[in-house]
Amino acid sequence: MPPTYVLFPGRHHLVTRFQVERLAEILATGAAPAASVIWAVTSATHHGTRRNPLPAHRREAIIERVAAATGLPSLVAPVADVAPSDRFATTVLASVGLTLGLELTPESTVVACSTPEVTALYEAAGFVVLPVEDDRDPQPARPWDVLEMLVAQDERWRELVHPAAAEVYDRYGLASYVRDVHEDPTVSSEGDLTETRDYRTYTAAFDDASDRKWEQVGPFVRPGRVVDLGCAAGGLLERAARDPRLADSDLYGVDVSRHLVAEAEHRRAQGVFGHPNVFFAQRNLLHAPVFSPGSVTTTTTIALTHEISSYGDGVADLRLLARRIFEHTAPGGVWINSDVLGPQDGDRLVHLHLGGAATEEAVDLERLLSEEVAAFLEGLAPAQRLEQFARDFPALSGGRCDLRWVADGVAELPLRHAMEFLYTRDYLDNYLSECHERFCDMSYDAWVELLEEVGFTLDPGSGPWRNEWLVENRLEVRTRLTDAATGEPVPWPDTHVLFAARRVH
């Protein structure tokens, strides 16, 4: 009995003319006459990244439009994003079974596939595999190559894509969206700033601090459209949603990280926010405006600006961020920012007194697993940890840590560089991720100059402050600072900034 189904697995961000021709050939020949094509849309839970720019519903719309235009009998089955595995074929078959209620077997199904590694998996499971790309196709033949032509604005992509797929791209502006995703310089192919962050630890730490952060920023918030940029998993908005003043407000969370936005959406589905108008989006405000001009009454950025400076183009990107926020802020609206802060006299030479001596050379930690990194650092004397930081921080962040040892355990270096080390040294679980980040790019005077240049006016109550808990529990533990010239003790500088910047007109 001839097969009833043609299983066509793939990410399907677009459909080419020759894919349709091959599928039609398979259906018209004895290989699978009168069969239905099952488009298994892989990585359906992953989007907004260079690997998977389009969400699954857009990909399904493209497939359905192509099927309707060509008469291909088709069914669509989403398959969750999974890590590469020898069980990939089994995962796809099981997902089709759950979605469509179909048990695909080698007797009922042929597989349409031209990827050698995937083909081998299905052949090992006993399936006949037929190619959907061959030497007859115009080059480049792979759909992904056509997508990259689109990104490069090579208009030949329109000659290769199926017209029905192109129509969906044009109707929803998908070509520019895909280009934006691919050209975002600050985000990895997986939709994150860094590949080394432990998001479970990161989210827990952010949530733990949300009550304290809301106490700080809440008094400055104006009702209306309230936007939390860098919202993580929504911890701050969860507190905002409880504020009676914001009962009629729209609360928006925006983050660049796919992982964090997915967690925020999950929390919303579980009813965590208890507010009808809470929304989340994965966007990068630096790459393109997210909100229309003058439409936002309050923007909050909590522990975000140092990341923008670190992963982007330094202070230039902070200036761009400030301009974008100013543009989307309504007259009378406010931008509230809370973050770490660089010392006011950052170039001042100090002596950093640490325990032990830097007797061992720094090593390449990127070869180790995260738990091995933490264990290695835990075993270092404080001076050795500084020596390791002086290797890792410049390599990963593009910053500097210029030091010279003037005695055992005593390093001479600029105050700014000393504070970069002290802000990072205790984050062992996320050490390599933290070494990507520069915490001291901006002093308070630099912030005032930037904000006034853009057009903001600072509210009373804005200013630098020193986190005494951080001083007592982190900075001064087994550590002290003295002036390099006089030997006098150097007080710990302000560690954080809180400002409310208003757009008056």
Side-chain angles (χ1 to χ4, degrees):
M1 185 174 180
T4 308
Y5 304 107
V6 177
L7 176 62
F8 186 21
R11 286 177 285 167
H12 300 310
H13 290 282
L14 51 72
V15 179
T16 63
R17 295 174 184 267
F18 33 96
Q19 284 179 314
V20 172
E21 292 170 3
R22 295 298 96 73
L23 292 171
E25 287 178 4
I26 293 171
L27 296 180
T29 64
S36 293
V37 178
I38 297 177
W39 303 69
V41 179
T42 60
S43 296
T45 54
H46 182 183
H47 72 277
T49 71
R50 287 192 285 276
R51 180 165 69 90
N52 285 295
L54 296 185
H57 70 276
R58 293 290 187 228
R59 290 182 258 170
E60 182 168 355
I62 291 169
I63 293 166
E64 294 288 7
R65 186 70 187 90
V66 169
T70 60
L72 282 175
S74 298
L75 296 168
V76 180
V79 180
D81 188 50
V82 294
S85 166
D86 290 341
R87 294 179 54 81
F88 174 75
T90 303
T91 299
V92 172
L93 294 170
S95 296
V96 171
L98 287 172
T99 303
L100 303 178
L102 301 175
E103 183 179 357
L104 304 185
T105 67
E107 292 71 34
S108 68
T109 308
V110 296
V111 177
C113 181
S114 295
T115 304
E117 297 82 2
V118 177
T119 294
L121 296 177
Y122 283 102
E123 288 179 338
F127 288 86
V128 173
V129 181
L130 303 174
V132 283
E133 293 128 31
D134 60 31
D135 293 339
R136 294 172 293 169
D137 301 327
Q139 296 298 314
R142 298 184 309 161
W144 193 254
D145 294 329
V146 178
L147 192 76
E148 290 185 337
M149 292 174 69
L150 178 157
V151 171
Q153 302 192 52
D154 183 341
E155 287 302 308
R156 288 179 300 161
W157 78 273
R158 290 187 175 274
E159 302 169 10
L160 303 174
V161 74
H162 193 277
E167 189 272 332
V168 178
Y169 262 77
D170 291 340
R171 193 188 332 159
Y172 289 100
L174 299 183
S176 60
Y177 173 76
V178 170
R179 289 188 189 108
D180 285 345
V181 170
H182 273 251
E183 293 170 357
D184 190 332
T186 63
V187 183
S188 74
S189 62
E190 295 301 305
D192 297 293
L193 291 173
T194 172
E195 308 292 354
T196 54
R197 175 170 287 166
D198 179 344
Y199 280 94
R200 181 181 60 181
T201 303
Y202 181 83
T203 300
F206 201 96
D207 283 347
D208 288 344
S210 290
D211 284 331
R212 174 171 50 82
K213 293 299 184 183
W214 183 249
E215 288 179 7
Q216 279 190 317
V217 306
F220 296 101
V221 171
R222 288 196 58 213
R225 176 178 278 181
V226 178
V227 176
D228 184 22
L229 292 180
C231 66
L236 192 73
L237 287 184
E238 183 181 343
R239 278 68 177 176
R242 302 172 190 162
D243 192 320
R245 297 178 303 142
L246 304 181
D248 296 323
S249 295
D250 293 335
L251 310 180
Y252 289 82
V254 179
D255 204 285
V256 76
S257 167
R258 175 178 61 90
H259 293 281
L260 295 175
V261 171
E263 177 60 24
E265 291 281 14
H266 174 71
R267 290 181 174 186
R268 182 175 65 166
Q270 299 301 309
V272 167
F273 298 96
H275 189 294
N277 296 322
V278 178
F279 310 96
F280 294 97
Q282 183 191 355
R283 298 287 190 277
N284 184 349
L285 184 65
L286 294 182
H287 204 62
V290 177
F291 299 95
S292 56
S295 66
V296 176
T297 52
T298 298
T299 302
T300 60
T301 52
I302 308 300
L304 174 69
T305 52
H306 79 272
E307 289 195 344
I308 287 175
S309 180
S310 299
Y311 291 100
D313 192 19
V315 177
D317 271 355
L318 292 180
R319 188 171 289 106
L320 174 59
L321 173 75
R323 284 203 302 268
R324 288 267 163 82
I325 293 176
F326 184 83
E327 289 163 1
H328 78 213
T329 301
V334 61
W335 172 23
I336 309 162
N337 180 49
S338 174
D339 207 348
V340 292
L341 186 69
Q344 191 62 35
D345 190 11
D347 293 330
R348 176 185 184 181
L349 283 179
V350 297
H351 285 170
L352 179 61
H353 298 256
L354 301 163
T359 57
E360 298 181 12
E361 291 187 3
V363 302
D364 183 2
L365 295 182
E366 292 187 278
R367 298 179 180 178
L368 304 179
L369 300 174
S370 58
E371 58 270 21
E372 294 174 331
V373 171
F376 173 80
L377 293 170
E378 186 69 41
L380 296 181
Q384 292 170 328
R385 197 176 295 181
L386 173 59
E387 192 69 41
Q388 184 68 44
F389 177 82
R391 177 196 188 280
D392 299 327
F393 178 68
L396 296 176
S397 75
R400 297 174 62 181
C401 185
D402 303 330
L403 64 90
R404 69 183 187 94
W405 296 102
V406 295
D408 282 351
V410 181
E412 182 176 286
L413 69 174
L415 177 59
R416 181 183 296 108
H417 300 181
M419 297 308 297
E420 291 283 13
F421 167 65
L422 294 172
Y423 284 150
T424 301
R425 67 170 178 172
D426 295 312
Y427 290 96
L428 304 188
D429 289 341
N430 265 324
Y431 172 78
L432 290 177
S433 177
E434 295 296 325
C435 279
H436 279 87
E437 300 182 10
R438 302 187 303 274
F439 296 105
C440 299
D441 281 359
M442 295 290 284
S443 66
Y444 185 67
D445 284 353
W447 269 121
V448 171
E449 180 180 352
L450 186 153
L451 293 167
E452 292 179 346
E453 173 190 325
V454 169
F456 281 111
T457 299
L458 283 169
D459 266 17
S462 301
W465 61 284
R466 194 170 79 173
N467 185 325
E468 296 302 334
W469 184 95
L470 181 66
V471 171
E472 294 173 9
N473 293 275
R474 292 286 189 267
L475 301 185
E476 67 182 14
V477 175
R478 297 178 297 173
T479 309
R480 61 189 178 93
L481 292 174
T482 58
D483 185 272
T486 67
E488 293 294 317
V490 174
W492 297 107
D494 291 321
T495 59
H496 289 73
V497 64
L498 173 66
F499 64 71
R502 293 199 181 270
R503 177 171 182 171
V504 178
H505 302 293

